[in-house]
Amino acid sequence: MDAFPEDDLDELLFEPFLPSPPDSQTWDSSNQFANEEILQDWIDDSQPSATIELEEPQDSGGTPCAVARDRYRCLFLQLRSCTNRCRNWVIDRIESMLEQVVDGLLTEDEQLTISLKTRIGLSRRQLNPTQNAGAAPPPRTIELNYPGSNVQEARRFTIVVRILELILCCLIDDIVMTKRDMYYRHPDLFGKQAIVDRYVDDVACTLGVSRSLLNVTAAAKGLTSGNFVINRPDGTSVHGLSEPEGILVPTVHDGQTLDVSCVHWVLIIEKEATFRSVLSSPQWKVLGTQGLVLTAKGYPDLVTRKFLRQLADGFPHIPMFAFVDLDPDGIHIMSTYKHGSLRLAHEVVTHADTPGVNLPNLQWLGVQSHHIYQAPGNECDTTTAAIADAQGVMKLTARDRKKAHHMLEWGVCGEHSSEPAWRAELQRMLMLNIKAEMQILDELPGGLVSWLSKQLEVMRDRSADDEILF
């Protein structure tokens, strides 16, 4: 089983975006039928649960341009209604699940049962050797019974029924509810927030849809700051540098525009304390005009990942960097940003069976083992064995070692994996029994922020050189 800390379950949530609109490079204005195919594929990939039948266009005088215009208009109108069709499909499925419960009560069945699909307790170690190392295993099916064999089973059944009722009300009334609001509707029944989080995700997994189609969301917890502006249709705007301590990670809604013309890089920082140190440093007056910094205070939440994905999709030329501790948790957090969460794999599969929400071009800025040599007192001996005795280095805990071993069995950190540098650092940690926090760089001349500033400049120039080459 993957080593997910219980307190971090809610932080591993994220959801997919719709595929990007048809690429202008593949759009051929002279080829009507190829363009229709592109648009239809876009619709199909956007909402796989919806069934779309292409209606024949009305007679538009017979000219090729008029016919093409009407057919494209028909496709786009169907795309616009696609979300509503999926919403209605979800409503029908949930109503069907609740009707089975009601029918069982009316017929006085001895046992009422709800079947759910879940990814809790799954591991990529369960994959066959012939399967893709980065793929996610299929969800397992669980059954919740009432009255069940004990009180706890009956309580779990009641919780799921109540969650289904709340989701159904949100969909019918077309309102969005946060998971926190859902919990406070019945705190005595749910017991704790993690219970609500788990079963909301299980319902989404069972229906094969993203959590957004359940009209359930999570409140933002991440912070960001930088030289960006969000312009709203009513003429108001939100500037990323408006608050000295940062602003909550925003949600860019339809009709709003995101201006990042002055942003040259994006820096994701694992810890809130380090994020605040950067913003309060003298160097931030210059850094803040050049880029965007962000923290999810640990594992990324849905809103944070959605905002970053919008940046990656809309502005792929802006490089993104991760700054995390040199320990298994730091690499795991970076992996969640870049590759996603196994527990919610049903939310991130697109038409090509590839992650729909990730940051595939995310680069690891630090902390890495060779950065330890740069700290004062560690410059003289640069041998691998000397790292264990370097100043500021700590010993791995039993939990750290267990987590590292589990990660080495995952697809992205496994043998012949897509992240050999991550695997090498995990192996080095285990061999030397060491880890290091990012605060080790505070001992450098100018402190951690000066080091970040220099590294960002180097990495940015390197990314620019790569773009020129390719």
Side-chain angles (χ1 to χ4, degrees):
M1 177 177 178
D2 294 342
F4 291 138
E6 182 176 353
D7 294 338
D8 291 331
L9 289 181
D10 190 38
E11 278 65 47
L12 295 175
L13 308 182
F14 58 95
E15 64 177 10
F17 275 93
L18 299 179
S20 300
D23 191 340
S24 59
Q25 294 181 351
T26 64
W27 188 267
D28 184 358
S29 58
S30 64
N31 191 335
Q32 167 190 340
F33 299 103
N35 291 341
E36 285 181 12
E37 185 177 353
I38 292 172
L39 285 171
Q40 189 65 59
D41 288 344
W42 185 33
I43 293 174
D44 295 339
D45 297 339
S46 299
Q47 299 293 348
S49 300
T51 301
I52 298 176
E53 296 181 358
L54 180 61
E55 300 174 358
E56 290 298 326
Q58 300 296 323
D59 184 12
S60 303
T63 64
C65 290
V67 172
R69 182 177 64 249
D70 284 346
R71 293 182 70 87
Y72 297 156
R73 180 176 179 274
C74 176
L75 284 166
F76 278 114
L77 287 176
Q78 292 177 71
L79 176 61
R80 183 176 296 175
S81 64
C82 194
T83 300
N84 290 332
R85 296 189 186 189
C86 285
R87 175 170 159 267
N88 292 334
W89 181 85
V90 173
I91 290 175
D92 290 341
R93 289 291 305 274
I94 294 178
E95 285 180 340
S96 177
M97 296 173 71
L98 293 174
E99 284 172 1
Q100 291 179 12
V101 174
V102 174
D103 291 343
L105 291 172
L106 293 176
T107 57
E108 298 183 353
D109 291 349
E110 293 183 1
Q111 196 87 283
L112 304 178
T113 301
I114 292 179
S115 296
L116 293 178
K117 292 182 179 179
T118 183
R119 294 188 181 275
I120 296 294
L122 295 181
S123 171
R124 287 191 174 93
R125 287 177 293 169
Q126 297 170 341
L127 289 172
N128 295 325
T130 57
Q131 289 181 270
N132 179 10
R140 61 188 179 93
T141 301
I142 59 174
E143 289 189 350
L144 302 175
N145 300 307
Y146 184 89
S149 58
N150 53 55
V151 175
Q152 289 302 319
E153 189 172 0
R155 176 174 170 267
R156 286 194 291 269
F157 180 93
T158 306
I159 287 173
V160 171
V161 169
R162 186 55 185 142
I163 287 177
L164 287 171
E165 291 174 344
L166 291 172
I167 292 173
L168 183 60
C169 289
C170 288
L171 290 169
I172 291 175
D173 296 336
D174 198 17
I175 61 174
V176 177
M177 178 182 291
T178 67
K179 294 185 297 179
R180 197 64 177 166
D181 290 338
M182 187 175 287
Y183 165 75
Y184 278 116
R185 293 292 183 96
H186 302 282
D188 293 335
L189 171 63
F190 297 138
K192 57 182 180 179
Q193 181 68 54
I195 297 296
V196 175
D197 300 341
R198 171 185 173 167
Y199 286 119
V200 167
D201 295 332
D202 287 351
V203 170
C205 183
T206 301
L207 299 181
V209 299
S210 64
R211 201 177 66 209
S212 61
L213 281 178
L214 303 181
N215 278 21
V216 179
T217 186
K221 69 162 187 168
L223 296 172
T224 186
S225 184
N227 200 3
F228 67 91
V229 181
I230 298 177
N231 298 304
R232 297 168 175 159
D234 60 3
T236 61
S237 61
V238 176
H239 201 291
L241 293 173
S242 59
E243 296 293 335
E245 295 184 352
I247 62 175
L248 283 174
V249 172
T251 299
V252 183
H253 298 284
D254 292 340
Q256 298 180 349
T257 59
L258 181 60
D259 181 3
V260 293
S261 57
C262 296
V263 175
H264 302 293
W265 45 259
V266 174
L267 177 63
I268 301 169
I269 301 176
E270 174 187 347
K271 296 179 176 178
E272 180 185 4
T274 304
F275 172 85
R276 295 191 180 279
S277 295
V278 171
L279 265 60
S280 62
S281 67
Q283 296 95 322
W284 177 245
K285 291 182 179 179
V286 176
L287 282 176
T289 63
Q290 299 174 347
L292 182 154
V293 296
L294 177 147
T295 181
K297 306 174 184 178
Y299 287 91
D301 60 307
L302 180 147
V303 178
T304 299
R305 289 202 54 92
K306 184 179 262 188
F307 179 67
L308 287 170
R309 182 61 193 222
Q310 285 176 309
L311 288 172
D313 285 343
F315 313 96
H317 63 282
I318 301 178
M320 292 189 176
F321 307 103
F323 184 54
V324 298
D325 287 336
L326 181 63
D327 62 13
D329 277 306
I331 294 180
H332 187 193
I333 288 171
M334 181 168 57
S335 175
T336 305
Y337 276 110
K338 186 170 184 177
H339 298 287
S341 164
L342 170 63
R343 207 167 65 86
L344 290 178
H346 62 277
E347 296 224 18
V348 294
V349 176
T350 64
H351 65 286
D353 293 328
T354 55
V357 172
N358 55 20
L359 300 174
N361 296 321
L362 182 66
Q363 303 176 57
W364 189 7
L365 187 70
V367 176
Q368 301 180 43
S369 57
H370 66 271
H371 295 145
I372 297 176
Y373 300 131
Q374 301 175 13
N378 302 333
E379 306 97 327
C380 297
D381 193 348
T382 57
T383 60
T384 301
I387 299 179
D389 298 323
Q391 295 182 18
V393 171
M394 299 175 292
K395 302 294 184 183
L396 292 175
T397 65
R399 176 187 170 278
D400 290 331
R401 296 188 64 84
K402 181 179 179 181
K403 188 176 186 71
H405 280 294
H406 285 160
M407 291 175 67
L408 288 172
E409 296 174 351
W410 294 357
V412 296
C413 292
E415 191 173 4
H416 310 299
S417 65
S418 60
E419 302 292 351
W422 298 6
R423 179 177 177 84
E425 290 288 16
L426 285 170
Q427 291 174 326
R428 191 174 291 111
M429 290 181 210
L430 289 170
M431 181 178 67
L432 300 176
N433 196 37
I434 57 99
K435 63 179 180 179
E437 296 185 346
M438 56 185 66
Q439 281 70 28
I440 192 174
L441 301 177
D442 274 329
E443 303 302 321
L444 294 172
L448 184 150
V449 180
S450 293
W451 181 88
L452 281 175
S453 180
K454 294 176 183 177
Q455 289 294 116
L456 285 168
E457 184 177 356
V458 171
M459 295 293 285
R460 178 192 166 192
D461 291 343
R462 187 179 301 169
S463 297
D465 291 341
D466 291 342
E467 289 184 4
I468 293 174
L469 289 174
F470 296 99

